[in-house]
Amino acid sequence: MLRLVDIRKSYRVGPTTREVLQGIDLEVGAGDLISIMGASGSGKTTLMNLIGLLDRPTSGACFLNERDVSGLADDELSTLRNAHVGFVFQSFHLLPRLTALENVCLPLVYQGLRRMEMQQRAHAMLTRVGMADWGQQRPGQLSGGQKQRVAIARSLVTEPTLLLADEPTGALDADTAAEVMALLLELNEQQGVTILIITHDPLVARRCKRRLRIHRGTLLETEHRAASVHSGQPTRSGPEATAAPADAQP
Amino acid sequence: MTPGSRSWSRLLAVLRGNAREAIDSLRKARLRTVLGLIGIMIGISSVITMVSLGEIAKAKARKEFEALGTDILVIRKSFEGAEAEAAINVPDALALAPQTPSITIAAPRISGYGSFQYAGKEVGRGSLQGVSASFLRVNKLSLQEGRFISDLDVDRYYCAIGAGVADSMRAAGGRQLIGQHLEIDGTLFTIVGVLNEAVDNYALPVQVSANESVFVPISTAGRVVANAEIDVIIARSAAGVHYRAATADVNAYFQSRSPDLKLEVVTAQELIARMEAQMRIMTLLLGAVGSISLIVGGVGVMNIMLVSVAERRREIAIRRALGARRRDIQSQFLIESVILTVAGGVLGIILGLLATWGICRFTGWDYLISGASLLSGLGTATAVGLFFGFQPARQAARLDPVTGLQGD
């Protein structure tokens, strides 16, 4: 579904260039639930921006449903982002001026849907994340956990191929974080939504079937449980391996 | 569903959404919006006021000309490098119209000044004008009673009197004025006609002042007026004749009669053309003055939009992440600035029309709303929004979503 081949990304910092990603290979299958951990500065946000089609690699190829998207024009990337990628951010990134329902409608606006249809779909998605009664509230009137639920509804309203979550529980307290995490797991297990979570929280990572670690611009596979999409088994608490060279990329 | 129709419906939906967003965002930033509106409002209203006043002044001047006719020519002896000897003689002047196809009618005048006595009392002081019968028609004068000077009245002491003179005579006890005698500087004239009240046209270089005048046969005037000489010929050109052709014909005619004579011919068409050229410059100048305040308003809008873009970097990045294309973002901000300037424009038009109305009331001019100025007001407002909104909108569209999302 999503395949990265030898992705490299470098930035020019003054006279020197810094290679943030040094040859990333990754294959994401439909229904996967993947976590990527890494220290700050390890390149995880850069990787997420590349996977989310917000940024383009310096070299390497990125295939989305077997189509090479690494060289596409900005407009095409926007359209693909809209159709295939849902974003969930640490700080929610809801638009404060809009109501929850309008926030969820936002990706549909760029698909050119009729207002009625947008609102129906947005409402259905708010219902799905347990926020049906909060549609007319603005983000300022919602708690952190509620905001993140609305954000999750917004990310899923276009029925994307991939949900990208960047520290989705990073701004939440432990209980709320657990609730949001449970919602993501449920969506993955019951609806088969493919989810990629970037986190530095081992508790979050531990609940994912497949765990990766990014270290100095390279990606290491730490654990890959061969779980079927709808297994829904409770995770066994495997050790948070620092590295698993044997499993590392080829 | 073809890709074309799909992208059209997408575009429409996005524009609709953007318009709603823009209005919402303008309403939320109330103070800024009001300041922007005021700037544009003042700019547009000054343009509307200036241009409307220009139009009104033009219409007023044009109307004055048209009352008298645009085919009028005023022919006078030129005093530039004057040969005092040469003068327009009466027979030549009277023969001008019959001999010149481009001139339909010509009325020469010899004028003097005198005191009018009736029944031993002075009933007025004014001009004594020696004229031919054509003078009545050329100047569009009309009679209350009696008749005007006829071409058969050669050397007769008949006169036709202006409405003002007639009123004074009636005030002095005169009844049935036709047939009465009027003494002008010691000479008695018999009244044959009384003119109606006439309005002078100050746009022309000659004033008839018919109300306060007494008209006598031109031959008679040649005797009673000291240094009698034709001071002006008022003529009309044939329909469809350009004023330059008529002027050339007049000059050629007098050149053949008295080669020493130099003429000065002023035509209404020329005056109108000259006046319109002046008005155009005037309107342009006034418009330019108004435009300066409009530019100031536009720069204000640009400033507001730049602030708005800077404040909403995050929002822009979020929208981009959710699938907005660059031009979706650009159109969102362009629509916002155009809505701002068009709203300011509508207010400005209202204010401008009120100001124009007020000035017209104050000066007594005829108030008129020119549709062109309204349309150009709205058009200008839109153009200002597009022009001054373009750079901020482009800046918004080019923001990098990655950096926008990081800046928490």
Side-chain angles (χ1 to χ4, degrees), chain A residues 49 54-55 74-75 78-79 81-82 87 89 91 93 95 97-98 106-107 109-113 115 154, chain B residues 10 13-14 20-21 25 312 314-315 318-328 401-402 405 408:
Chain A
N49 289 335
L54 281 168
D55 207 351
D74 197 87
D75 274 5
S78 299
T79 310
R81 254 196 323 268
N82 183 268
F87 288 92
F89 302 95
S91 46
H93 283 340
L95 298 191
R97 281 187 291 108
L98 307 184
L106 213 48
V109 168
Y110 297 109
Q111 290 187 353
L113 293 189
R115 201 173 155 82
R154 182 179 67 184
Chain B
R10 176 191 185 277
V14 168
R20 211 166 25 233
E21 269 293 305
S25 128
R312 288 150 75 187
R314 169 111 66 99
E315 173 189 332
I318 294 168
R319 286 176 181 274
R320 295 278 281 129
L322 298 179
R325 298 180 197 171
R326 283 197 173 136
R327 57 171 172 271
D328 297 332
V402 171
L405 287 170
D408 286 345

Side-chain angles (χ1 to χ4, degrees), chain B residues 22 35 52 93 103 127 167 193 228 239 296 308 319 323 328 338 376 379 386 395-396:
Chain B
L35 291 177
S52 299
I103 303 295
S127 70
D167 287 346
V296 173
S308 174
R319 286 176 181 274
D328 297 332
V338 169
S376 69
L386 287 174
Q395 198 171 318

Side-chain angles (χ1 to χ4, degrees), chain B residues 62-81:
Chain B
R62 211 185 157 100
K63 207 168 120 189
E64 275 182 11
F65 270 112
E66 271 161 7
L68 201 70
T70 54
D71 52 357
I72 210 154
L73 290 90
V74 175
I75 303 158
R76 281 200 281 213
K77 190 175 125 180
S78 169
F79 290 94
E80 224 165 291

Side-chain angles (χ1 to χ4, degrees), chain B residues 359-372:
Chain B
I359 291 171
C360 283
R361 259 197 85 115
F362 187 71
T363 55
W365 293 354
D366 289 339
Y367 179 58
L368 65 92
I369 296 176
S370 97

Side-chain angles (χ1 to χ4, degrees), chain B residues 118-343:
Chain B
Y118 171 66
K121 279 181 237 163
E122 180 173 83
V123 289
R125 292 185 150 273
S127 70
L128 169 74
Q129 306 193 24
V131 297
S132 61
S134 52
F135 197 85
L136 183 80
R137 192 148 65 83
V138 148
N139 291 301
K140 298 196 170 161
L141 303 172
S142 60
L143 286 157
Q144 243 177 63
E145 54 180 323
R147 65 173 179 85
F148 195 62
I149 301 303
S150 146
D151 288 343
L152 300 173
D153 294 336
V154 181
D155 294 342
R156 308 293 284 274
Y157 288 80
Y158 288 155
C159 72
I161 60 175
V165 179
D167 287 346
S168 305
M169 286 178 73
R170 289 185 191 113
R175 299 276 173 275
Q176 188 54 51
L177 299 179
I178 305 291
Q180 304 261 11
H181 295 293
L182 185 67
E183 189 188 329
I184 304 170
D185 289 345
T187 310
L188 276 181
F189 287 85
T190 307
I191 296 170
V192 294
V194 178
L195 291 170
N196 275 320
E197 184 93 23
V199 181
D200 266 335
N201 177 10
Y202 295 101
L204 276 183
V206 61
Q207 304 310 319
V208 174
S209 310
N211 297 341
E212 309 308 325
S213 297
V214 170
F215 298 92
V216 302
I218 193 164
S219 46
T220 315
R223 294 181 180 185
V224 301
V225 174
N227 304 322
E229 190 178 312
I230 291 179
D231 72 330
V232 67
I233 303 173
I234 300 173
R236 284 180 191 270
S237 56
V241 174
H242 192 269
Y243 70 86
R244 286 209 188 96
T247 305
D249 288 351
V250 167
N251 276 318
Y253 171 80
F254 282 103
Q255 187 67 33
S256 70
R257 298 302 170 105
S258 42
D260 289 344
L261 184 65
K262 279 215 177 101
L263 293 179
E264 177 189 285
V265 182
V266 180
T267 65
Q269 282 178 40
E270 189 186 351
L271 287 178
I272 290 172
R274 220 187 283 162
M275 176 201 75
E276 279 182 346
Q278 272 175 9
M279 287 290 182
R280 217 169 299 132
I281 292 170
M282 184 82 165
T283 307
L284 268 177
L285 273 177
L286 290 175
V289 169
S291 300
I292 289 170
S293 45
L294 192 57
I295 288 170
V296 173
V299 169
V301 166
M302 187 163 175
N303 191 20
I304 285 168
M305 292 310 297
L306 284 173
V307 172
S308 174
V309 170
E311 266 182 6
R312 288 150 75 187
R313 296 168 72 94
R314 169 111 66 99
E315 173 189 332
I316 293 161
I318 294 168
R319 286 176 181 274
R320 295 278 281 129
L322 298 179
R325 298 180 197 171
R326 283 197 173 136
R327 57 171 172 271
D328 297 332
I329 300 296
Q330 185 156 356
S331 75
Q332 180 184 338
F333 283 91
L334 263 186
I335 286 173
E336 191 168 318
S337 71
V338 169
I339 286 177
L340 186 63
T341 56
V342 167

